[in-house]
């Protein structure tokens, strides 16, 4: 399943990159919505491999605050995601590069959840705070709790 998800995701990211290069707004594109759905699956699978507490957890939505090209065939996504268990929001950062043929992911780094003094900082489902915070996230100032890598960075 992971290979099929990876192949579909890399093709969608390739389409998103082409739109970004052309100056087209991708924030409400079908390609981005479909890519985010596949990212939910891939990230959840990879988190389960690394963290025991993810055995019964998964992502139930990723919302983009910022998407940018960071190099050839590379994008970064900064935003918020939803935990399926309690529908709370946590920050997410994804940085990935696809192959030149756009049929595989060369590498992907992902960080989730800010760690505070009392554990993971979660924004409740019924709060609008997540939407405001999503656009102000500074990935370099967050004390990330979860971190995964997929593929091999060159």
């Amino acid at each position: 399943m992971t290979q099929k998800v990876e192949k579909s995701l890399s093709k969608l990211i390739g389409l998103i990159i082409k739109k970004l290069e052309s100056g087209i707004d991708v924030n409400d594109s079908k390609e981005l919505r479909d890519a985010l759905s596949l990212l939910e699956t891939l990230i959840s699978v990879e988190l389960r491999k690394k963290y025991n507490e993810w055995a019964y957890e998964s992502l139930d939505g990723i919302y983009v605050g910022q998407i940018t090209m960071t190099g050839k065939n590379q994008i970064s996504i900064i935003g918020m995601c939803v935990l399926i268990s309690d529908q709370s929001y946590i920050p997410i950062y994804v940085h990935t590069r696809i192959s030149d043929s756009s049929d595989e992911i060369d590498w992907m780094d992902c960080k989730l959840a800010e760690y505070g003094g009392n554990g993971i900082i979660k924004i409740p489902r019924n709060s609008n705070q997540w939407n405001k915070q999503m656009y102000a996230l500074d990935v370099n100032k967050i004390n990330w709790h979860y971190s995964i890598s997929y593929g091999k960075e060159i």
Side-chain angles (χ1 to χ4, degrees), residues 2-61:
T2 304
Q3 286 179 335
K4 187 175 180 180
V5 168
E6 177 186 351
K7 188 170 187 167
S8 297
L9 179 58
S10 62
K11 287 183 185 286
L12 288 166
I13 290 172
L15 293 172
I16 291 166
I17 288 171
K18 285 179 184 172
K19 285 186 173 190
L20 287 170
E21 288 173 332
S22 300
I24 298 172
D25 182 13
V26 298
N27 287 316
D28 195 30
S29 68
K30 180 176 179 359
E31 293 87 1
L32 182 58
R33 287 190 305 272
D34 291 346
L36 293 174
S37 179
L38 291 171
L39 273 173
E40 289 173 30
T41 301
L42 184 61
I43 291 168
S44 295
V45 166
E46 293 301 310
L47 285 165
R48 283 186 201 112
K49 290 178 184 176
K50 187 172 179 182
Y51 299 98
N52 291 335
E53 62 265 34
W54 275 81
Y56 302 103
E57 184 67 89
S58 62
L59 299 180
D60 191 27

